[in-house]
Every structure is written in structure tokens, then in C-alpha cells.
Amino acid sequence: MQLSALPKHTLPREKLLKKGPHSLSDAELLAIFLRTGIAGMNAIELAESLLTQSRSLQNLFNASLKEFSALKGLGEAKYVQLQAVLELSKRYMREACLRDTVFTSPDAVNDYLCLQLKGLEHEVFMALYLDNQNQLIHDEILFNGTINAASVYPREVVKAALKHNAASLIFAHNHPSGIAEPSEADKLITQKLQKALALVDIHVLDHLIVAGNRCISFAQRGLI
């Protein structure tokens, strides 16, 4: 059925304007992004088909260009648009954290870190610099690649923390394998960083590992 044949109040755009984006299903939101359907499917039906094929929004959003373009009705242009939307979402979340969020518990950063790190195909090591009120000053990816004692340099971390005048830090890195449990290398580098930063009176509040939808906190595990 063509969307034009549906009652106007049930169309995704009109429904969003009248009731707000929270009132729309995943398929309806995706249909607004797609804008048009394909032969035999309107935009909502195409969105439902894509979600069924991908099995989840996360799988669809994390798909590579090749995987994304293999889905009927999608291609490079839509992939570029979707990646732009995702990046804007990350930057929006980051601005909100820089402006509003006080990190007083692991739960306060989980959503932010999951949005930043999940879905990455390579391992990155990230630092969140906090002031003495646990307000986020700045964050950055410090190192790329497999995280171990040889690839994360405490001296560079100390220099960055002093540069940003941080009172404390939260570290985070991802496990693309999907296994969230900390390795011995993760524990070792955390201890080395704690000792190095303690020399300049900067505290390490936590180290979080993001793996898929899971986020493991060293502080909650008693490892810090």
C-alpha cells in the first residue's frame, strides 16, 4: 500500500509532529530517514523489512558499507546519511555531557561511553578528564590498537591530564570481541596509570570496558 493511501494521522511525519518522536516505532522512525520505499514496498514496509533482515537497529547502524549496501533499498548514499546522523548523535551526547553531566557513579557514564565506543571494529583507549566536581572537562581517544602495557604510555597520560588541569580521570576502552571481562593486561595498565597519576595528585575514578551493550566497571568490581 502506498503511504498516500494511509490515513494522514498515521503517517510517520505527521504522527511525529503531532505526538512527538517517542510515539513512533523503530520502523516508523527509520521510514522517515528512508523517505521513500521501493517497488512493492512503501517506506514503512521497507523499514520493517530492513529491521527484520538486520535483526536489530544496532546491527543495521553498525553494518559496514558492504553489508549495508547489500540490503535491498539501501546504498552508499543512505550509508553516508546514516553515518552522519550517528556522528551527530555522538556529538550531541558529548556536548550534553560537557555542559550538564556530573559523573558521580559508573552508571552516569555508561550510556555515553557505549554510544562512543560500541560498534568500533578496532580497540581504542579513551580518557575522560574531570574537574574537582566530577564535571567532564574533555575527553579524547589516547591510543588505538590492542591495549597492553606496552601500548599505553603512562607518561603521555599524565601529560594530557595536566594539560587539561584534571582533578581525576575515568578510563575506558572497548573489546570488539564482545567479551567484556577485563584481561590481566587491562588490570596491569590500570595499576600503572593509577601509580603514575597519584604522583601528581590526580585520581583514577574508574576504568570501564565496553563490549557490545555491556559495560564493565573496575570500580564496581573492586579493582580500583
Side-chain angles (χ1 to χ4, degrees), residues 87 90 94 112-129 136 138-147 151-153 156-157 160-161 163-164 169-174 210:
E87 184 59 28
K90 291 179 182 180
R94 183 175 182 276
Y112 176 66
L113 289 173
C114 280
L115 184 61
Q116 295 291 322
L117 299 180
K118 76 177 181 181
L120 294 180
E121 295 181 356
H122 63 284
E123 198 163 329
V124 300
F125 187 89
M126 187 175 187
L128 282 64
Y129 306 100
L136 183 62
H138 181 66
D139 65 32
E140 63 181 335
I141 291 174
L142 289 172
F143 307 103
N144 288 272
T146 302
I147 303 305
S151 61
V152 175
Y153 305 104
E156 297 302 318
V157 176
K163 172 186 173 183
H164 294 292
L169 275 78
I170 294 174
F171 296 116
H173 76 278
N174 62 315
V210 176

Side-chain angles (χ1 to χ4, degrees), residues 73-147:
L74 300 180
E76 186 176 282
K78 290 293 185 203
Y79 178 81
V80 169
Q81 286 180 288
L82 184 58
Q83 292 306 307
V85 169
L86 291 173
E87 184 59 28
L88 283 171
S89 298
K90 291 179 182 180
R91 295 185 188 191
Y92 171 82
M93 286 285 291
R94 183 175 182 276
E95 281 187 11
C97 285
L98 286 169
R99 185 180 65 248
D100 302 324
T101 303
V102 176
F103 292 145
T104 56
S105 72
D107 289 341
V109 292
N110 282 5
D111 289 344
Y112 176 66
L113 289 173
C114 280
L115 184 61
Q116 295 291 322
L117 299 180
K118 76 177 181 181
L120 294 180
E121 295 181 356
H122 63 284
E123 198 163 329
V124 300
F125 187 89
M126 187 175 187
L128 282 64
Y129 306 100
L130 311 179
D131 63 18
N132 55 16
Q133 300 298 316
N134 287 338
Q135 193 85 26
L136 183 62
I137 301 169
H138 181 66
D139 65 32
E140 63 181 335
I141 291 174
L142 289 172
F143 307 103
N144 288 272
T146 302
I147 303 305

Side-chain angles (χ1 to χ4, degrees), residues 31-107:
I32 292 176
F33 169 77
L34 293 170
R35 294 171 47 195
T36 60
I38 58 175
M41 289 185 184
N42 63 38
I44 296 175
E45 292 167 337
L46 175 58
E48 290 172 342
S49 173
L50 292 172
L51 290 173
T52 298
Q53 292 177 70
S54 301
R55 298 189 300 280
S56 72
L57 274 174
Q58 183 176 326
N59 288 342
L60 179 62
F61 289 176
N62 289 340
S64 66
L65 173 58
K66 182 178 180 180
E67 293 167 335
F68 190 86
S69 300
L71 297 170
K72 190 175 181 180
L74 300 180
E76 186 176 282
K78 290 293 185 203
Y79 178 81
V80 169
Q81 286 180 288
L82 184 58
Q83 292 306 307
V85 169
L86 291 173
E87 184 59 28
L88 283 171
S89 298
K90 291 179 182 180
R91 295 185 188 191
Y92 171 82
M93 286 285 291
R94 183 175 182 276
E95 281 187 11
C97 285
L98 286 169
R99 185 180 65 248
D100 302 324
T101 303
V102 176
F103 292 145
T104 56
S105 72
D107 289 341

Side-chain angles (χ1 to χ4, degrees), residues 3-15:
L3 286 183
S4 58
L6 297 173
K8 189 172 182 179
H9 70 276
T10 66
L11 297 176
R13 287 182 58 185
E14 284 71 15
K15 186 176 176 181

